[in-house]
Amino acid sequence: MGAAYGTAKSGVGISSMGVMRPDMVMRSIIPVVMAGVLGIYGLITAVIINGKMDAATYSAYSGYAHLGAGLTVGMSSLAAGLAIGIVGDAGVRANAQQPRLFVGMILILIFAEALGLYGLIVGKGKGLMAMYSASTLMEMQKCDPSSAFFGFMGVTSAIVFANMGAAYGTAKSGVGISSMGVMRPDMVMRSIIPVVMAGVLGIYGLITAVIINGKMDAATYSAYSGYAHLGAGLTVGMSSLAAGLAIGIVGDAGVRANAQQPRLFVGMILILIFAEALGLYGLIVGLVVASTAEGKGKGLCSPYNV
């Protein structure tokens, strides 16, 4: 779905600008190629998960892990595809009027593509999480596996919502950069800052997801730990989503205004820092909550018979 939107939205922009500038059509295909890669991320993940399923030995813990992995990669790629489509559409139209915008457009698209890559990294980690064979995992699984469901949803929530915020911030700021860059191409590179700050939000989700994922153990994972990890993931993910909305709106208006009045640059950066701090607050609280899962929740599970 993300790849389809990115392809369709960018394709409309290419078709429009290609009427007047057919010589620039081939180099403008790049957003479509980057959107297509997102579909490959989903293909890789689906094949890996499918290859690890065995009807005779498949455990509930593995099932929840694979569900989380699929949602992580799929939703992250969807967010990335939305950003690529919006930036690609605006970027190729603007680039047709101002060829000096090309490098800036590519940089913004790279930040958007990275969101899907973050999801693939986390999803692959969860999909391949079992260090043991499925049969051995079932023998080790002494805790109710439903606890693991909440833990894996915490991992998914952290990276998916953070990527959604980063995608919005990237797309909204990218449209503003494309618009102002037509008249002021000399200011494009310094105007990339909102996109960079939005991309950092995805890293917050990546950090949290990796930490939570590394603390999960099928043999000792308790409901307390599962709820703590779910809370941590939602805290980081939703805080980053809120920050991404603010960064996108401020970034779009800020780069347009800064093109007309360069003295606005410092003020815009200060506002963006306050917006970015919201995601950082969520990261701090999320990591504190996640740390309690191991310290207070380890081994507090009720017996479970497979």
Side-chain angles (χ1 to χ4, degrees), residues 54-66:
D54 185 341
T57 59
Y58 199 63
S59 68
Y61 186 90
S62 296
Y64 294 140
H66 289 156

mmCIF file with all atom_site columns, all heavy atoms in Angstrom, residues 54-66:
data_model
loop_
_atom_site.group_PDB
_atom_site.id
_atom_site.type_symbol
_atom_site.label_atom_id
_atom_site.label_alt_id
_atom_site.label_comp_id
_atom_site.label_asym_id
_atom_site.label_entity_id
_atom_site.label_seq_id
_atom_site.pdbx_PDB_ins_code
_atom_site.Cartn_x
_atom_site.Cartn_y
_atom_site.Cartn_z
_atom_site.occupancy
_atom_site.B_iso_or_equiv
_atom_site.pdbx_formal_charge
_atom_site.auth_seq_id
_atom_site.auth_comp_id
_atom_site.auth_asym_id
_atom_site.auth_atom_id
_atom_site.pdbx_PDB_model_num
ATOM 1  N N   . ASP A 1 54 ? 5.922  -23.845 11.271 1.00 0.00 ? 54 ASP A N   1
ATOM 2  C CA  . ASP A 1 54 ? 5.768  -25.301 11.214 1.00 0.00 ? 54 ASP A CA  1
ATOM 3  C C   . ASP A 1 54 ? 4.551  -25.674 12.039 1.00 0.00 ? 54 ASP A C   1
ATOM 4  O O   . ASP A 1 54 ? 4.508  -25.416 13.252 1.00 0.00 ? 54 ASP A O   1
ATOM 5  C CB  . ASP A 1 54 ? 7.029  -25.972 11.775 1.00 0.00 ? 54 ASP A CB  1
ATOM 6  C CG  . ASP A 1 54 ? 6.994  -27.497 11.626 1.00 0.00 ? 54 ASP A CG  1
ATOM 7  O OD1 . ASP A 1 54 ? 5.894  -28.045 11.444 1.00 0.00 ? 54 ASP A OD1 1
ATOM 8  O OD2 . ASP A 1 54 ? 8.068  -28.115 11.714 1.00 0.00 ? 54 ASP A OD2 1
ATOM 9  N N   . ALA A 1 55 ? 3.557  -26.252 11.408 1.00 0.00 ? 55 ALA A N   1
ATOM 10 C CA  . ALA A 1 55 ? 2.293  -26.553 12.089 1.00 0.00 ? 55 ALA A CA  1
ATOM 11 C C   . ALA A 1 55 ? 2.475  -27.446 13.312 1.00 0.00 ? 55 ALA A C   1
ATOM 12 O O   . ALA A 1 55 ? 1.722  -27.350 14.289 1.00 0.00 ? 55 ALA A O   1
ATOM 13 C CB  . ALA A 1 55 ? 1.327  -27.217 11.106 1.00 0.00 ? 55 ALA A CB  1
ATOM 14 N N   . ALA A 1 56 ? 3.493  -28.301 13.299 1.00 0.00 ? 56 ALA A N   1
ATOM 15 C CA  . ALA A 1 56 ? 3.671  -29.269 14.390 1.00 0.00 ? 56 ALA A CA  1
ATOM 16 C C   . ALA A 1 56 ? 4.308  -28.644 15.629 1.00 0.00 ? 56 ALA A C   1
ATOM 17 O O   . ALA A 1 56 ? 4.090  -29.122 16.741 1.00 0.00 ? 56 ALA A O   1
ATOM 18 C CB  . ALA A 1 56 ? 4.517  -30.445 13.903 1.00 0.00 ? 56 ALA A CB  1
ATOM 19 N N   . THR A 1 57 ? 5.097  -27.598 15.450 1.00 0.00 ? 57 THR A N   1
ATOM 20 C CA  . THR A 1 57 ? 5.876  -27.064 16.581 1.00 0.00 ? 57 THR A CA  1
ATOM 21 C C   . THR A 1 57 ? 5.713  -25.563 16.790 1.00 0.00 ? 57 THR A C   1
ATOM 22 O O   . THR A 1 57 ? 6.392  -24.988 17.631 1.00 0.00 ? 57 THR A O   1
ATOM 23 C CB  . THR A 1 57 ? 7.376  -27.359 16.354 1.00 0.00 ? 57 THR A CB  1
ATOM 24 O OG1 . THR A 1 57 ? 7.796  -26.763 15.121 1.00 0.00 ? 57 THR A OG1 1
ATOM 25 C CG2 . THR A 1 57 ? 7.633  -28.861 16.293 1.00 0.00 ? 57 THR A CG2 1
ATOM 26 N N   . TYR A 1 58 ? 4.808  -24.939 16.049 1.00 0.00 ? 58 TYR A N   1
ATOM 27 C CA  . TYR A 1 58 ? 4.684  -23.479 16.111 1.00 0.00 ? 58 TYR A CA  1
ATOM 28 C C   . TYR A 1 58 ? 4.083  -23.036 17.442 1.00 0.00 ? 58 TYR A C   1
ATOM 29 O O   . TYR A 1 58 ? 2.995  -23.479 17.820 1.00 0.00 ? 58 TYR A O   1
ATOM 30 C CB  . TYR A 1 58 ? 3.818  -23.002 14.944 1.00 0.00 ? 58 TYR A CB  1
ATOM 31 C CG  . TYR A 1 58 ? 3.970  -21.535 14.610 1.00 0.00 ? 58 TYR A CG  1
ATOM 32 C CD1 . TYR A 1 58 ? 5.188  -21.032 14.177 1.00 0.00 ? 58 TYR A CD1 1
ATOM 33 C CD2 . TYR A 1 58 ? 2.892  -20.661 14.714 1.00 0.00 ? 58 TYR A CD2 1
ATOM 34 C CE1 . TYR A 1 58 ? 5.336  -19.694 13.848 1.00 0.00 ? 58 TYR A CE1 1
ATOM 35 C CE2 . TYR A 1 58 ? 3.028  -19.320 14.386 1.00 0.00 ? 58 TYR A CE2 1
ATOM 36 C CZ  . TYR A 1 58 ? 4.254  -18.846 13.961 1.00 0.00 ? 58 TYR A CZ  1
ATOM 37 O OH  . TYR A 1 58 ? 4.398  -17.521 13.629 1.00 0.00 ? 58 TYR A OH  1
ATOM 38 N N   . SER A 1 59 ? 4.782  -22.166 18.160 1.00 0.00 ? 59 SER A N   1
ATOM 39 C CA  . SER A 1 59 ? 4.339  -21.739 19.488 1.00 0.00 ? 59 SER A CA  1
ATOM 40 C C   . SER A 1 59 ? 3.596  -20.417 19.426 1.00 0.00 ? 59 SER A C   1
ATOM 41 O O   . SER A 1 59 ? 3.718  -19.652 18.468 1.00 0.00 ? 59 SER A O   1
ATOM 42 C CB  . SER A 1 59 ? 5.541  -21.596 20.421 1.00 0.00 ? 59 SER A CB  1
ATOM 43 O OG  . SER A 1 59 ? 6.359  -20.511 20.003 1.00 0.00 ? 59 SER A OG  1
ATOM 44 N N   . ALA A 1 60 ? 2.809  -20.138 20.492 1.00 0.00 ? 60 ALA A N   1
ATOM 45 C CA  . ALA A 1 60 ? 2.087  -18.874 20.574 1.00 0.00 ? 60 ALA A CA  1
ATOM 46 C C   . ALA A 1 60 ? 3.055  -17.705 20.639 1.00 0.00 ? 60 ALA A C   1
ATOM 47 O O   . ALA A 1 60 ? 2.818  -16.647 20.055 1.00 0.00 ? 60 ALA A O   1
ATOM 48 C CB  . ALA A 1 60 ? 1.173  -18.877 21.796 1.00 0.00 ? 60 ALA A CB  1
ATOM 49 N N   . TYR A 1 61 ? 4.166  -17.886 21.347 1.00 0.00 ? 61 TYR A N   1
ATOM 50 C CA  . TYR A 1 61 ? 5.175  -16.828 21.462 1.00 0.00 ? 61 TYR A CA  1
ATOM 51 C C   . TYR A 1 61 ? 5.709  -16.458 20.081 1.00 0.00 ? 61 TYR A C   1
ATOM 52 O O   . TYR A 1 61 ? 5.819  -15.281 19.738 1.00 0.00 ? 61 TYR A O   1
ATOM 53 C CB  . TYR A 1 61 ? 6.310  -17.315 22.362 1.00 0.00 ? 61 TYR A CB  1
ATOM 54 C CG  . TYR A 1 61 ? 7.355  -16.277 22.673 1.00 0.00 ? 61 TYR A CG  1
ATOM 55 C CD1 . TYR A 1 61 ? 7.237  -15.451 23.784 1.00 0.00 ? 61 TYR A CD1 1
ATOM 56 C CD2 . TYR A 1 61 ? 8.468  -16.112 21.859 1.00 0.00 ? 61 TYR A CD2 1
ATOM 57 C CE1 . TYR A 1 61 ? 8.202  -14.496 24.081 1.00 0.00 ? 61 TYR A CE1 1
ATOM 58 C CE2 . TYR A 1 61 ? 9.435  -15.161 22.145 1.00 0.00 ? 61 TYR A CE2 1
ATOM 59 C CZ  . TYR A 1 61 ? 9.293  -14.357 23.259 1.00 0.00 ? 61 TYR A CZ  1
ATOM 60 O OH  . TYR A 1 61 ? 10.249 -13.422 23.538 1.00 0.00 ? 61 TYR A OH  1
ATOM 61 N N   . SER A 1 62 ? 6.021  -17.452 19.280 1.00 0.00 ? 62 SER A N   1
ATOM 62 C CA  . SER A 1 62 ? 6.507  -17.195 17.924 1.00 0.00 ? 62 SER A CA  1
ATOM 63 C C   . SER A 1 62 ? 5.430  -16.518 17.081 1.00 0.00 ? 62 SER A C   1
ATOM 64 O O   . SER A 1 62 ? 5.716  -15.638 16.270 1.00 0.00 ? 62 SER A O   1
ATOM 65 C CB  . SER A 1 62 ? 6.945  -18.507 17.262 1.00 0.00 ? 62 SER A CB  1
ATOM 66 O OG  . SER A 1 62 ? 8.037  -19.082 17.941 1.00 0.00 ? 62 SER A OG  1
ATOM 67 N N   . GLY A 1 63 ? 4.187  -16.925 17.278 1.00 0.00 ? 63 GLY A N   1
ATOM 68 C CA  . GLY A 1 63 ? 3.091  -16.326 16.525 1.00 0.00 ? 63 GLY A CA  1
ATOM 69 C C   . GLY A 1 63 ? 2.944  -14.842 16.802 1.00 0.00 ? 63 GLY A C   1
ATOM 70 O O   . GLY A 1 63 ? 2.771  -14.032 15.886 1.00 0.00 ? 63 GLY A O   1
ATOM 71 N N   . TYR A 1 64 ? 3.024  -14.463 18.075 1.00 0.00 ? 64 TYR A N   1
ATOM 72 C CA  . TYR A 1 64 ? 2.929  -13.049 18.429 1.00 0.00 ? 64 TYR A CA  1
ATOM 73 C C   . TYR A 1 64 ? 4.135  -12.270 17.887 1.00 0.00 ? 64 TYR A C   1
ATOM 74 O O   . TYR A 1 64 ? 4.009  -11.120 17.464 1.00 0.00 ? 64 TYR A O   1
ATOM 75 C CB  . TYR A 1 64 ? 2.848  -12.883 19.943 1.00 0.00 ? 64 TYR A CB  1
ATOM 76 C CG  . TYR A 1 64 ? 1.585  -13.446 20.559 1.00 0.00 ? 64 TYR A CG  1
ATOM 77 C CD1 . TYR A 1 64 ? 1.613  -14.122 21.765 1.00 0.00 ? 64 TYR A CD1 1
ATOM 78 C CD2 . TYR A 1 64 ? 0.352  -13.281 19.930 1.00 0.00 ? 64 TYR A CD2 1
ATOM 79 C CE1 . TYR A 1 64 ? 0.452  -14.632 22.331 1.00 0.00 ? 64 TYR A CE1 1
ATOM 80 C CE2 . TYR A 1 64 ? -0.814 -13.790 20.473 1.00 0.00 ? 64 TYR A CE2 1
ATOM 81 C CZ  . TYR A 1 64 ? -0.751 -14.465 21.687 1.00 0.00 ? 64 TYR A CZ  1
ATOM 82 O OH  . TYR A 1 64 ? -1.903 -14.968 22.230 1.00 0.00 ? 64 TYR A OH  1
ATOM 83 N N   . ALA A 1 65 ? 5.299  -12.906 17.930 1.00 0.00 ? 65 ALA A N   1
ATOM 84 C CA  . ALA A 1 65 ? 6.503  -12.253 17.406 1.00 0.00 ? 65 ALA A CA  1
ATOM 85 C C   . ALA A 1 65 ? 6.361  -11.980 15.910 1.00 0.00 ? 65 ALA A C   1
ATOM 86 O O   . ALA A 1 65 ? 6.690  -10.897 15.424 1.00 0.00 ? 65 ALA A O   1
ATOM 87 C CB  . ALA A 1 65 ? 7.736  -13.116 17.669 1.00 0.00 ? 65 ALA A CB  1
ATOM 88 N N   . HIS A 1 66 ? 5.857  -12.963 15.187 1.00 0.00 ? 66 HIS A N   1
ATOM 89 C CA  . HIS A 1 66 ? 5.712  -12.802 13.747 1.00 0.00 ? 66 HIS A CA  1
ATOM 90 C C   . HIS A 1 66 ? 4.605  -11.806 13.390 1.00 0.00 ? 66 HIS A C   1
ATOM 91 O O   . HIS A 1 66 ? 4.713  -11.072 12.405 1.00 0.00 ? 66 HIS A O   1
ATOM 92 C CB  . HIS A 1 66 ? 5.440  -14.163 13.101 1.00 0.00 ? 66 HIS A CB  1
ATOM 93 C CG  . HIS A 1 66 ? 6.640  -15.065 13.121 1.00 0.00 ? 66 HIS A CG  1
ATOM 94 N ND1 . HIS A 1 66 ? 6.543  -16.441 13.061 1.00 0.00 ? 66 HIS A ND1 1
ATOM 95 C CD2 . HIS A 1 66 ? 7.963  -14.793 13.202 1.00 0.00 ? 66 HIS A CD2 1
ATOM 96 C CE1 . HIS A 1 66 ? 7.756  -16.963 13.091 1.00 0.00 ? 66 HIS A CE1 1
ATOM 97 N NE2 . HIS A 1 66 ? 8.629  -15.979 13.182 1.00 0.00 ? 66 HIS A NE2 1
#
